Amino acid sequence: TALYHTVYKTIAQGEGYVFSEFMHSFKSNFRQSSIVWGIMLVVGAFLGMDAYLTWQLKAAGDAVGNIFYFIILFLIIEFLVFTYAFPYIARFQDDSKKIIKNALFLALGNPLKTILMLITCVVAVYLVYVIPLLVIVAPALYMLAIEQLMESIYKRFLPQEEEEKHSYMNNEEEQPAKKRRFYHSGRK
């Protein structure tokens, strides 16, 4: 969450300093991110254990083992929600239930962008596996790569003035300096 916020603010918006933006976002989103992360961890552990057990049943020839494929599907869906949830927390303010629900809808509602983000994630993990020293910069490069994709998805849910500010940063011509504020939807 803090990394996405930092990439968005310092690189895409051209505001602030990396360390101060990261610490501000880390402190302000820690509680919400921890709750969502805890929920995702419990669900992932439960699905992972189920996948292991059904795999063992499938290997033993038990018909119940065929549930394994459904559990793998749910694990993939959970990973998609995980991919969207933390950038969502960085941009919007909602309760944990709505964050997870909206992350699921965003992931399933944008299949091409979601697949591109997953490919980017797999490439980043592979590069870290091949060159372990990249663990220092790979997370930031990954967030930098997906920030534009996420913002193009979020554009539909932001008020008009936020869209104008985002397009202002992509304009080639000089514009007068405006004070920008980070937007939280506050939708309940």
Side-chain angles (χ1 to χ4, degrees), residues 12 28 45 57 70 93 117 148 159 165 173 175 184 186:
S28 64
L57 289 172
F70 291 108
Q93 186 173 357
M117 283 188 267
Q148 288 294 321
K165 285 192 278 187
E173 9 179 293
Q175 297 285 338
H184 287 285

Side-chain angles (χ1 to χ4, degrees), residues 39 95 121 136 154 163 180:
I39 293 168
D95 60 75
C121 182
I136 298 168
Y154 294 156
E163 289 180 38
R180 298 184 184 102

Side-chain angles (χ1 to χ4, degrees), residues 49-68:
M49 289 187 321
D50 281 351
Y52 175 76
L53 293 173
T54 55
W55 176 256
Q56 295 300 321
L57 289 172
K58 183 171 174 42
D62 195 339
V64 177
N66 291 327
I67 296 174
F68 171 76

Side-chain angles (χ1 to χ4, degrees), residues 19-33:
F19 186 75
S20 62
E21 287 295 333
F22 183 87
M23 291 309 295
H24 169 72
S25 180
F26 182 82
K27 289 175 186 175
S28 64
N29 294 316
F30 181 77
R31 182 176 177 272
Q32 187 69 54
S33 296

